[in-house]
Amino acid sequence: MLKINWLRSGLGGLQWLFFLFTNTVVIPITVGAAFALPQERIQFLIQCSFILTGIACAVQAWLGHQRSVMEGQSGLWWGVILSLSASAPSLGISLTELGGSLAVGILISGVITILIGLCGLATPLSKLFTPGVMAVFMFLLGCRLNIIFLEGMLGISSGSSDKANVIQPAIFLLAAAVAVLVAVLSIKARPAIAQYALLIGILGGWALHVFIFGSSGGTSNSGTLDAVWFPLGEPAGGLNTGVIAIAVIAGLINTSNTFGALKGTDAIYEHEAASSQYKRSFTISGILAVISGVLGLVPYAPYVSSVGFLQQTRMRERLPFVIGGLMFAAIGLIPAVTGLLTQLPLSIGSAILFVTYLRLLGSSLQYFGQLHMDAANLYRTAAPLFIGIIVMGLPSEIFTTLPPLLRPLLGNGLLVGILLALLLNQVHSRSSLSALSPSIRTKGE
């Protein structure tokens, strides 16, 4: 029986390993390409991402929020950094200056996040993230990230040349078949098989991709891990205060990931996360953000997609999660293995993540179910949803008439939607209090 439990934990850890990998590997590659870094710098970012993500997951599981929730490089931060790098020429700043300014902004936001945790500000801050706000956040996050994953399934990758960014039908058909297989196994297969559907999809899809299309070159390096501080640009000389301000705002909005992930897993763990869990989670995420700023990585946050993964695998135990995290960190220390894993086809990894993130719709609908859909609630949830989705679909060129420093913020549909949801929620709350105050005075008289 003990052997069976360890085997189950080992297989679960291997599945978590691939989940961590597929959620992580694309981020440092695209950021490195966006900042025109040499190949050895990109390899450094990949290895640091693997090591820090694996350690972060293990630390959060045992010392932080104590749940099987991936701590990874934030998709919200990822989008902001890529948007800023794309708009750097129109901002009139170099990529090195942008990288240095981002590093300062990330360090400041990390310190603020640590203070939120240490000072116990998570509880009052959580009151801002009502069911209406969380419903909008979950829905828009699913839309934003599934756009990236669908592009990957189509054979389109960020950082590639315009000529390479075209739909590749054969690659898409294989990726779509893998996605369907994973979905069918998750729904129809016996629980013993269904909980490993993602692992089956990754390994089977990878093998088929190599058999049909051959292996890709990938990123490989047999050298040692050489530390490079501030690889995107050193925070010295001319810093852009607007970029720093946007980074701090993004860091504050990024706290929504913690509330989304922990509140989203409350039903899975059958109890609400305590204030002490939020305090420890924010403190650790803040420390990771400070480290990220120094190493040129995308800052960290608990992954809301973990909700879909836990629902998909039905495996909430911490041991497999910790095993997967430690294996991931160990892989980051071995450049040869890191190079091998980076050969996982983007389309296959994207297909697996696409299926996983579809589950965010269920989490969003659960929050919508907590709302009484009167006229006020309808407008204050519909407006952020539709405006956020519309902004996501607009070409970046149309924002050129806006002030340069506002373009990355107003051109990000996810940020716009969350900010609008928070704003409308506060306006609605204050108007409700104003409407109640006369009756309260009357009763007092």
Side-chain angles (χ1 to χ4, degrees):
M1 186 65 182
L2 185 61
K3 290 183 178 180
I4 293 175
N5 288 336
W6 273 104
L7 178 62
R8 183 173 182 271
S9 297
L11 289 174
L14 185 61
Q15 187 164 242
W16 268 114
L17 168 66
F18 277 102
F19 182 74
L20 299 180
F21 171 75
T22 52
N23 270 287
T24 303
V25 67
V26 178
I27 297 177
I29 292 175
T30 54
V31 170
F35 280 83
L37 297 181
Q39 195 62 40
E40 59 271 15
R41 287 282 181 94
I42 295 177
Q43 179 73 19
F44 170 78
L45 294 181
I46 294 172
Q47 289 184 253
C48 286
S49 297
F50 284 20
I51 296 169
L52 194 58
T53 299
I55 294 174
C57 290
V59 170
Q60 282 283 25
W62 288 109
L63 301 176
H65 47 62
Q66 298 181 331
R67 292 184 175 181
S68 297
V69 174
M70 176 184 173
E71 183 82 12
Q73 295 174 339
S74 167
L76 188 150
W77 263 112
W78 183 25
V80 171
I81 290 174
L82 290 181
S83 298
L84 282 169
S85 62
S87 59
S90 61
L91 294 173
I93 59 177
S94 65
L95 290 175
T96 303
E97 182 183 350
L98 173 62
S101 302
L102 270 174
V104 172
I106 291 171
L107 290 172
I108 294 172
S109 68
V111 172
I112 292 173
T113 306
I114 293 173
L115 292 176
I116 290 174
L118 294 178
C119 299
L121 299 177
T123 300
L125 189 63
S126 68
K127 295 178 181 178
L128 297 175
F129 296 92
T130 62
V133 174
M134 293 306 302
V136 171
F137 170 69
M138 291 282 195
F139 193 93
L140 289 179
L141 182 65
C143 289
R144 181 69 192 93
L145 295 178
N146 275 326
I147 289 173
I148 297 174
F149 302 140
L150 184 58
E151 289 177 348
M153 292 173 64
L154 291 168
I156 301 171
S157 60
S158 301
S160 300
S161 62
D162 293 336
K163 292 182 179 180
N165 281 337
V166 293
I167 295 174
Q168 302 182 46
I171 287 178
F172 172 72
L173 289 175
L174 177 58
V178 170
V180 171
L181 172 64
V182 172
V184 171
L185 286 177
S186 301
I187 298 170
K188 298 293 186 180
R190 292 179 298 173
I193 297 176
Q195 64 182 350
Y196 301 113
L198 300 181
L199 182 59
I200 294 170
I202 290 173
L203 297 179
W206 192 349
L208 284 174
H209 192 281
V210 171
F211 178 76
I212 297 172
F213 303 106
S215 60
S216 58
T219 303
S220 61
N221 192 333
S222 58
T224 57
L225 181 64
D226 297 322
V228 180
W229 309 125
F230 303 107
L232 303 185
E234 294 187 2
L239 296 175
N240 191 292
T241 55
V243 172
I244 295 174
I246 290 175
V248 173
I249 293 172
L252 291 173
I253 298 176
N254 191 53
T255 60
S256 58
N257 280 288
T258 300
F259 296 113
L262 296 189
K263 288 185 177 182
T265 54
D266 282 343
I268 296 173
Y269 284 90
E270 300 174 355
H271 64 84
E272 292 186 2
S275 59
S276 58
Q277 289 175 281
Y278 280 102
K279 289 175 66 175
R280 295 193 299 267
S281 179
F282 273 113
T283 302
I284 292 172
S285 293
I287 294 171
L288 292 168
V290 172
I291 297 173
S292 299
V294 174
L295 295 178
L297 305 179
V298 173
Y300 281 68
Y303 264 38
V304 180
S305 63
S306 300
V307 179
F309 183 86
L310 292 171
Q311 292 171 339
Q312 195 105 16
T313 62
R314 305 178 184 92
M315 187 180 292
R316 70 179 189 178
E317 296 87 357
R318 285 183 292 168
L319 181 57
F321 177 64
V322 172
I323 291 174
L326 294 179
M327 285 195 298
F328 194 47
I331 285 172
L333 294 171
I334 308 173
V337 179
T338 305
L340 175 64
L341 279 180
T342 54
Q343 294 183 40
L344 172 69
L346 174 66
S347 58
I348 302 301
S350 297
I352 301 300
L353 293 176
F354 183 80
V355 175
T356 302
Y357 277 77
L358 290 178
R359 292 270 187 168
L360 289 184
L361 176 62
S363 301
S364 178
L365 292 177
Q366 287 178 358
Y367 283 114
F368 275 120
Q370 300 177 32
L371 299 175
H372 172 60
M373 274 301 176
D374 55 14
N377 282 335
L378 181 64
Y379 281 116
R380 70 189 180 99
T381 53
L385 271 180
F386 285 118
I387 291 175
I389 292 172
I390 291 169
V391 171
M392 286 181 194
L394 295 175
S396 58
E397 293 79 13
I398 71 169
F399 296 97
T400 54
T401 55
L402 297 177
L405 295 179
L406 291 179
R407 291 175 201 164
L409 179 64
L410 298 180
N412 188 305
L414 180 58
L415 286 180
V416 169
I418 295 172
L419 285 174
L420 187 56
L422 288 167
L423 176 62
L424 293 179
N425 182 68
Q426 289 304 302
V427 170
H428 177 73
S429 298
R430 292 184 180 183
S431 63
S432 298
L433 288 174
S434 300
L436 287 173
S437 58
S439 62
I440 294 173
R441 286 198 303 269
T442 303
K443 288 180 181 180
E445 292 171 356

